[in-house]
Amino acid sequence: MDINQHRNGLSKVWNKLEQGHLTIGFIGGSITEDGRAAHNWPEPVTRWFVESFPHARIAVENAAIGATGSDLAVFRAKRDLIDRDCDLVFIEFAVNDNGTPSERRMRAREGLIRKLLAEGRSNLVIVYTYCQDMYDAMSRSEVPASILEFEQLAEHYGISSVWMGLKRSHFRLRSIQVTGRTYNCCLLKMYSWKDLGR
């Protein structure tokens, strides 16, 4: 599996940027949660948009809650993302769903994706982080089940994805610390937004 899976051109995002306003939504667990200023991966992503599109007003809705999975997110999606008119939504639940039985997490994730796509307003990107429980599979050059299942949904619904910490063309682990600089390296430099097209 490559670091980046480009499945759509994020046309809604580019249109909103041309209009001068973009609302970015984030939903996931503690690694995505707002509250550790400049120490979570959404911070450099947001900064990239602000710096790259100075003419546009960039708003952020961070709906991430630590220690929660996609099963709770599906119930919060309308209030926390859809009703706030998010144009681009990043979904990160590979770690927090890791211990959930496969069938249950697949139903919850698909429910979340379908709910976010139903309005027809948002482009989605699925972001994969990893935890210690996934190291064993990754050391054998395997994709952990939690990520593999998410990829099946991403493929089915045509959603782009990025796997933070996966080195291009190798299944080598890369240290991901909770610092803006590390995530900037792992997410922004490996996932080139301009390559997604307009």
Side-chain angles (χ1 to χ4, degrees):
M1 184 175 126
D2 291 331
I3 293 169
N4 307 314
Q5 299 292 327
H6 302 282
R7 297 186 177 96
N8 64 56
L10 300 181
S11 60
K12 295 170 186 165
V13 171
W14 301 123
N15 289 338
K16 292 299 287 187
L17 286 168
E18 287 174 5
Q19 294 170 18
H21 181 270
L22 178 72
T23 301
I24 305 171
F26 297 93
I27 192 159
S30 60
I31 201 165
T32 303
E33 186 175 19
D34 199 10
R36 294 182 302 259
H39 293 282
N40 57 4
W41 68 267
E43 187 67 30
V45 170
T46 303
R47 187 171 37 255
W48 181 87
F49 276 99
V50 169
E51 292 171 359
S52 299
F53 303 95
H55 69 282
R57 180 178 171 270
I58 308 296
V60 174
E61 295 294 337
N62 192 324
I65 299 176
T68 65
S70 57
D71 52 352
L72 178 60
V74 73
F75 294 105
R76 298 187 306 108
K78 181 164 178 21
R79 181 195 69 197
D80 295 347
L81 298 169
I82 296 167
D83 289 350
R84 295 175 188 261
D85 297 326
C86 292
D87 306 299
L88 173 61
V89 177
F90 291 91
I91 302 169
E92 177 274 312
F93 283 110
V95 170
N96 285 17
D97 283 352
N98 191 46
T100 303
S102 176
E103 184 179 339
R104 182 173 152 202
R105 71 182 170 213
M106 285 294 279
R107 281 197 316 263
R109 290 168 171 182
E110 186 165 24
L112 175 61
I113 288 168
R114 289 173 61 110
K115 191 173 273 194
L116 291 170
L117 291 174
E119 297 290 319
R121 176 186 180 93
S122 303
N123 282 133
L124 309 180
V125 174
I126 300 173
V127 176
Y128 306 124
T129 55
Y130 63 91
C131 61
Q132 182 122 12
D133 292 347
M134 297 177 179
Y135 288 180
D136 190 42
M138 292 170 72
S139 69
R140 293 189 313 268
S141 297
E142 297 173 5
V143 179
S146 180
I147 293 172
L148 185 62
E149 292 168 2
F150 237 143
E151 268 301 285
Q152 292 168 355
L153 291 170
E155 181 69 32
H156 179 76
Y157 288 98
I159 301 169
S160 294
S161 62
V162 60
W163 188 350
M164 293 194 290
L166 184 64
K167 195 167 181 116
R168 189 173 301 281
S169 76
H170 295 259
F171 278 79
R172 274 207 316 238
L173 301 181
R174 175 177 264 190
S175 174
I176 294 183
Q177 300 173 8
V178 184
T179 64
R181 176 173 289 153
T182 303
Y183 284 117
N184 189 20
C185 173
C186 293
L187 181 61
L188 294 181
K189 290 183 181 173
M190 292 180 179
Y191 195 65
S192 177
W193 296 102
K194 64 183 178 215
D195 292 339
L196 293 178
R198 290 183 181 226

